[in-house]
Amino acid sequence: MFTKLLNFIRQVVRKILPYRDIETVERVETPLSNEMANALDDWYNMYLNKAEWLKPDTVKSLNLPAFICSELSRQIVLEMKWNITGKGKDGDTKTDTGENIMNPRAEFLKAEFEKCITVLRQKLEQGCAAGGMTVKPYPKDGHIYFDWTMDWSLYPIAFDDDGNLSDVIFRDTYAEGKTIYTRLERHVVEGDNVKITQRAFKSNMRDAIGVEVNLSEVSQWSQLEPEATVKNSGGQMFGWFKVATANSIDVDSPMGASCFCKARDTIKEADLQYSRLLWEYEGSELAIDVDPTVLRPKKTEGGGLEMPKLNQRLFRAVDADKGDRDLYNVFSPTIRDAALVNGLNQLLMRIEDQCGLARGTISDANTEARTATELRIVKQRSYATVADNQKALENCLKDVIRAMDVYATIYGLAPEGEYDVSFEWDDSIITDTEQQMNERMMLLNSGLISKAEFREWYFGETKEQ
């Protein structure tokens, strides 16, 4: 009991101390409700497979939260296509051969943004678990790099009328030996500008900010300015992705909700049912009960009894009924796995419904016979969920590129120039490539599309090419 209480206190301290310290040094208070703060901490533990109901000896985990986030992020970015283009000196976008013309600014943004796309899927998985994430570009050594912060690590202070972050603090830490350094980076929207302040702190305790020190005293942050204002930024200097689902924890909060938020209790029941199934298999393992007279003394110094070539897991010594001279009795009970598996599958289907995923994403897809039309209908749920999140992600990434362009101008990273951003999201979630091919071949054979149009779709060519 004392150990459980101590662990609970540690969890509360881990969650509250950073917020309390930030409130003290910045003299601000977050509008984040206690319910929302607790939910963020709960989603964090569930994603790390450390849900409060899990117990090493009795309740095992299916690790469903991480799987759901992984599957959703995979479907969101699976067929994502993007491009950054820019007009040439004469305002042309194409050469005589049909190739894209790229000005230096567009080329720079495209090359740097590629680094963001490389890790997007992994980071998006965590963002789906946290209910959202920010992607904050920053310049360094002539290039653009990216900071990814999940909503459970953000310190929001204020939101605008559209529910966007207008005042927020990012917390960054790193250790040198036993010394912990903390940096608080605050972004405040002031009209068309963004004011950015940086403060550094030093402590010998990981969960405490400690005393303030100059940025110049910390080698890793010595190049940062304590205060700067970005003029005509067009918005915050980062992109914010929010999971496209209603917040059922705090309906008045502009913060996003985890993609498995509505399925929390069902995920718990699924873990309990899974643990019952494992216990059923373990409790019904084959064993042979033998009378102690069949066993022989062990040759080892410890003594005891043993059976020639016996397997410790298979044989058990019991006192047989003296009236019954059978010295062997096989223990092999009937496994009741069918009912347990069916019950678990029903829970998994319920989780799919609550998370907006198609049947068969987590559950056994072979439990119900379905026609091609029925399969298309059940996939519509995933399509709607994925499409909504793709729109949210596209808005976030466009804000990231806008911030990159502003930094490129401020620090002279690339010559001035216009750029255009395009995103394309495929519908292969409900229509596979083979089906798309067959449909277009029918249109081609019917004369409803030309060979040029077919090549445009299949090879991604332009009409000129």
Side-chain angles (χ1 to χ4, degrees), residues 105-140:
R105 174 60 63 91
E107 287 182 349
F108 173 80
L109 294 177
K110 184 175 182 178
E112 299 299 312
F113 188 65
E114 181 69 41
K115 296 182 293 187
C116 174
I117 296 298
T118 301
V119 296
L120 176 60
R121 179 174 167 182
Q122 298 94 307
K123 298 298 184 179
L124 181 60
E125 177 183 324
Q126 298 177 0
C128 288
M133 66 179 181
T134 60
V135 188
K136 180 166 60 70
Y138 65 93
K140 183 179 180 181

Side-chain angles (χ1 to χ4, degrees), residues 6 25 27 33 60 76 108 128 132 136 176 186 212 227 231 266 323 347 354 422 424 463:
L6 183 60
V25 299
R27 297 179 181 178
S33 64
K60 306 296 182 179
I76 291 174
F108 173 80
C128 288
K136 180 166 60 70
E176 283 186 1
R186 185 174 180 180
E212 186 169 7
E227 183 176 315
K231 297 183 178 180
T266 316
L347 289 171
Q354 293 169 331
S422 63
E424 181 181 344
K463 288 184 178 181

